[in-house]
Amino acid sequence: MVRSDGFTGEKPEIPMRSCDRLQDALLQCHRRMPEGPARRSGCRHLNRALAECVVAEACPEESEAVKSLCSSGGTSLKRKQCENAQLSLSLCLSRNQQQFEQR
């Protein structure tokens, strides 16, 4: 059964073994905390960490480029490089999503 927050209580398939511990921790956080603002606040750091892990596993080079090029302000050249890195990451994630959906 899917609740209004989209959480089924079941472990979704994420094909990244290195993210398993974060996924388990997030599931435990959802089980321990009642639905609502407290859960959103309490589990936020785990949700973000899992998302970053999945992105880094799916597109490691693109993810690293975004981290290094977009970590601070800078010249117009650096901002352009950051935008290009973000676009590359977006395209990589889109390709991975399409491949995953075709399974």
Side-chain angles (χ1 to χ4, degrees):
M1 179 175 163
V2 178
R3 298 187 320 228
S4 61
D5 63 0
F7 184 72
T8 62
E10 298 173 11
K11 189 172 182 178
E13 263 192 60
I14 298 177
M16 281 83 181
R17 291 281 175 223
S18 64
C19 302
D20 282 354
R21 291 179 69 199
L22 285 168
Q23 183 180 11
D24 289 340
L26 181 60
L27 288 170
Q28 288 302 316
C29 187
H30 273 258
R31 287 185 187 117
R32 285 193 313 267
M33 301 193 77
E35 187 175 342
R39 177 193 290 169
R40 285 190 295 277
S41 177
C43 300
R44 178 179 294 135
H45 68 287
L46 292 169
N47 189 50
R48 182 182 176 114
L50 178 58
E52 289 175 355
C53 181
V54 170
V55 168
E57 285 292 314
C59 303
E61 293 167 13
E62 295 84 353
S63 178
E64 188 57 39
V66 167
K67 283 180 187 175
S68 65
L69 293 169
C70 303
S71 61
S72 63
T75 65
S76 61
L77 174 61
K78 186 172 180 187
R79 287 191 300 273
K80 184 66 176 168
Q81 290 172 328
C82 171
E83 289 174 15
N84 288 338
Q86 289 172 327
L87 178 60
S88 293
L89 178 59
S90 179
L91 292 171
C92 177
L93 292 171
S94 181
R95 281 191 304 272
N96 278 301
Q97 181 178 1
Q98 289 172 349
Q99 291 171 357
F100 187 74
E101 289 172 350
Q102 290 174 354
R103 291 184 191 178

